[in-house]
Amino acid sequence: MAISETETKTKTPMAIEKPPRSGVIIVDNHICLECRECEVACSLYHEGECNPNLSRIHVRFDDFLPIFPELEICKQCDWPACYYACISINKDPAMYIDPKTGARVIDEAKCKGCGACARACPLMPEKTIIKYKEVDGRRVYFKCDLCKDRPEGPVCVEVCPPGALKFIPASERRGR
């Protein structure tokens, strides 16, 4: 069904509401020990196996360069492009905003494997924020969800030996 020129001129664009602010995990890479316990704990909590490739946090370092490591984790953007990309192309989007934590979450059961979220993320491809895995022969994307169902908060923060990771709840987050 075609839209007439009159209908096109009178149609107003859909208003986009700003989503609630989420908590965020901040990193002090000056005290990170590069132990990668955060990666192992994350993959064990979310996937049931110790596999850094399935972790939602990634420690990037080079054994041959004397520089501080760089930790890659979702910044839980105030205007999450990944979320808007998913809801704009899917009738039943896989991404949602967790009502309790405000985390931008991918429902892996609903993920169609299109990768729109990863392409929309402003931190990708330079940083490994949104990854994918194969589940029953299909591609499923995943990212940090701040361990939304874990009462103690993000597991990576809890296991970090030097305390290089810190969780800042949404109520305390200012300009991060």
Side-chain angles (χ1 to χ4, degrees), residues 49-86:
E49 63 180 275
C50 297
N51 182 346
N53 291 326
L54 296 174
S55 175
R56 279 96 175 121
I57 186 170
H58 179 68
V59 180
R60 186 186 300 204
F61 62 94
D62 187 333
D63 286 330
F64 301 104
L65 292 176
I67 58 174
F68 294 113
E70 183 177 349
L71 278 75
E72 300 173 342
I73 191 164
C74 180
K75 303 298 182 205
Q76 303 293 335
C77 300
D78 282 341
W79 290 94
C82 58
Y83 169 74
Y84 293 118
C86 184

Side-chain angles (χ1 to χ4, degrees), residues 28-169:
D28 183 347
N29 63 352
H30 292 93
I31 62 173
C32 175
L33 300 175
E34 299 175 2
C35 66
R36 301 177 72 189
E37 286 188 33
C38 55
E39 291 179 338
V40 172
C42 177
S43 67
L44 185 59
Y45 176 73
H46 287 285
E47 304 295 335
E49 63 180 275
C50 297
N51 182 346
N53 291 326
L54 296 174
S55 175
R56 279 96 175 121
I57 186 170
H58 179 68
V59 180
R60 186 186 300 204
F61 62 94
D62 187 333
D63 286 330
F64 301 104
L65 292 176
I67 58 174
F68 294 113
E70 183 177 349
L71 278 75
E72 300 173 342
I73 191 164
C74 180
K75 303 298 182 205
Q76 303 293 335
C77 300
D78 282 341
W79 290 94
C82 58
Y83 169 74
Y84 293 118
C86 184
I87 66 170
S88 69
I89 65 169
N90 293 304
K91 289 181 182 177
D92 188 20
M95 288 205 71
Y96 67 96
I97 309 284
D98 182 64
K100 186 177 75 179
T101 64
R104 288 68 173 125
V105 180
I106 298 173
D107 181 341
E108 294 179 16
K110 290 183 176 182
C111 182
K112 297 185 178 29
C114 68
C117 56
R119 287 189 303 277
C121 176
L123 301 174
M124 299 274 289
E126 290 82 19
K127 297 180 186 270
T128 309
I129 305 300
I130 302 175
K131 301 178 184 180
Y132 69 88
K133 60 187 175 184
E134 295 291 323
V135 177
D136 297 327
R138 67 183 183 95
R139 183 179 281 195
V140 174
Y141 284 82
F142 62 95
K143 63 179 265 325
C144 176
D145 62 4
L146 300 174
C147 297
K148 64 178 181 51
D149 296 324
R150 189 171 184 268
E152 302 87 358
V155 69
C156 61
V157 173
E158 184 178 318
V159 303
C160 182
L165 301 174
K166 183 177 179 186
F167 176 68
I168 307 295

